[in-house]
Amino acid sequence: MSAKAEPSAAGGPVSGKITIADIATEAGVSVPTVSKVMNGRTDVAAHTRERVEAIIRRHGYQRRGDDRSRRSTLVELMFHELESAWALEIIRGAEQVAREHGLAVVMSESQGRLTPGHGWLESVIARRPLGVIAVFSDLSATQLAKLRARDIPVVVVDPVGEPGTETPSIGATNWNGGLTATRHLLELGHTRIGMIGGPERVLCSRARVDGYRAAMETAGLTVDPELVRYGDFHVESGFKQATVLLSRPDRPTAIFAGSDLQALGVYEAARAAGLRVPQDLSVVGFDDLPLAEWVGPPLTTVRQPLQDMAAAGTRLAITLARGEKPEHRRIELATTLVVRHSTAPPAA
């Protein structure tokens, strides 16, 4: 006759096959430690938590009320902002993979905050999606632990900071993209090249700026700190920072913007200053959103495979939800330069 589970100190995992005490014995830890792991507490060493979680998965141990058969066929996409062409590309990639697996995509937003609030976490736990794909967001250690304790895998797409070793992530070769964009301008003959990055603390933004610096230094050019500006990846910040750059007496002859939306802001700043693109100012963006080929002139940009990144993140979340071990927990997809009509040699 199988043993009934003992309720935990925090209130109640049960299983018909193994007790919480059995898990503690097998893991070589105390019963309270197992309880902490199952309730998403963060005051447990990472290697201990991994060992306990592995035993829980192996024995199929469940918390009270955690009937997996009731889990919805949803994949949750969590954005810090939804209103952008960038987010639309991510949604398309995730929905394509979800449809292939008979799943639906639900979207949530943290209203501009990179770390969502407590209300978001509670609503996700109530929905019990198959997995969460956090896009350009930075979930706290507590949030990650609570989702993991409820067998809701989390995959980060385009991480804001360096993801922890336990959190799978999908990104792009941002440093190489910044290098390639700047080299393109250097090869055209530009030497005074402005850089407008995204938020300074954000990982992808730092990588793009570092790629720019590497290209300049490799070409034997000193990076003028006055030519490096930071925005927020939106049109308005591109306009604001480009206006500052173009008001200088020794203005740059080219600007590399850290996003296509910022590049549109650079276009507007150039028009306001009476400059023509590309005759008077070359502009390179980053992302290759659909609008990039329709603006005037069509934008030279670094293609970031946003749909592919979202698709890879969704596949990874599904793999983890099935209890399978993924081949890779860190994936970086290649960026490529797309040359259109916004770049040209500097005016003589």
Side-chain angles (χ1 to χ4, degrees), residues 78-80 110 112-117 120 133-144 154-164 167 201-203 206:
M78 198 281 288
F79 295 88
H80 82 295
S110 58
R113 294 174 298 181
L114 294 177
T115 300
W120 171 82
I133 300 155
V135 184
F136 198 64
S137 302
D138 190 15
L139 273 63
S140 69
T142 299
Q143 290 169 334
L144 288 169
V154 178
V155 176
V156 180
V157 171
D158 206 6
V160 170
E162 191 65 44
T167 306
R201 65 172 282 245
V202 171
L203 186 64
R206 295 201 309 267

Side-chain angles (χ1 to χ4, degrees), residues 98-224:
R99 281 195 303 270
E100 293 171 0
H101 291 82
L103 304 171
V105 174
V106 62
M107 285 157 281
S108 55
E109 182 187 44
S110 58
Q111 300 173 328
R113 294 174 298 181
L114 294 177
T115 300
H118 179 72
W120 171 82
L121 179 65
E122 294 305 310
S123 65
V124 171
I125 291 172
R127 282 191 290 274
R128 285 200 58 79
L130 195 73
V132 171
I133 300 155
V135 184
F136 198 64
S137 302
D138 190 15
L139 273 63
S140 69
T142 299
Q143 290 169 334
L144 288 169
K146 287 187 175 181
L147 291 171
R148 188 162 44 239
R150 287 158 178 81
D151 277 332
I152 302 175
V154 178
V155 176
V156 180
V157 171
D158 206 6
V160 170
E162 191 65 44
T165 57
E166 300 175 17
T167 306
S169 65
I170 312 291
T173 53
N174 290 291
W175 184 89
N176 191 65
L179 181 82
T180 303
T182 310
R183 279 182 174 171
H184 169 67
L185 294 170
L186 290 166
E187 288 166 359
L188 288 172
H190 296 276
T191 55
R192 286 195 62 74
I193 302 171
M195 172 77 217
I196 303 176
E200 197 166 358
R201 65 172 282 245
V202 171
L203 186 64
C204 64
S205 174
R206 295 201 309 267
R208 293 169 198 176
V209 174
D210 288 346
Y212 155 83
R213 292 182 186 277
M216 296 288 284
E217 291 166 0
T218 301
L221 298 172
T222 301
V223 176
D224 183 347

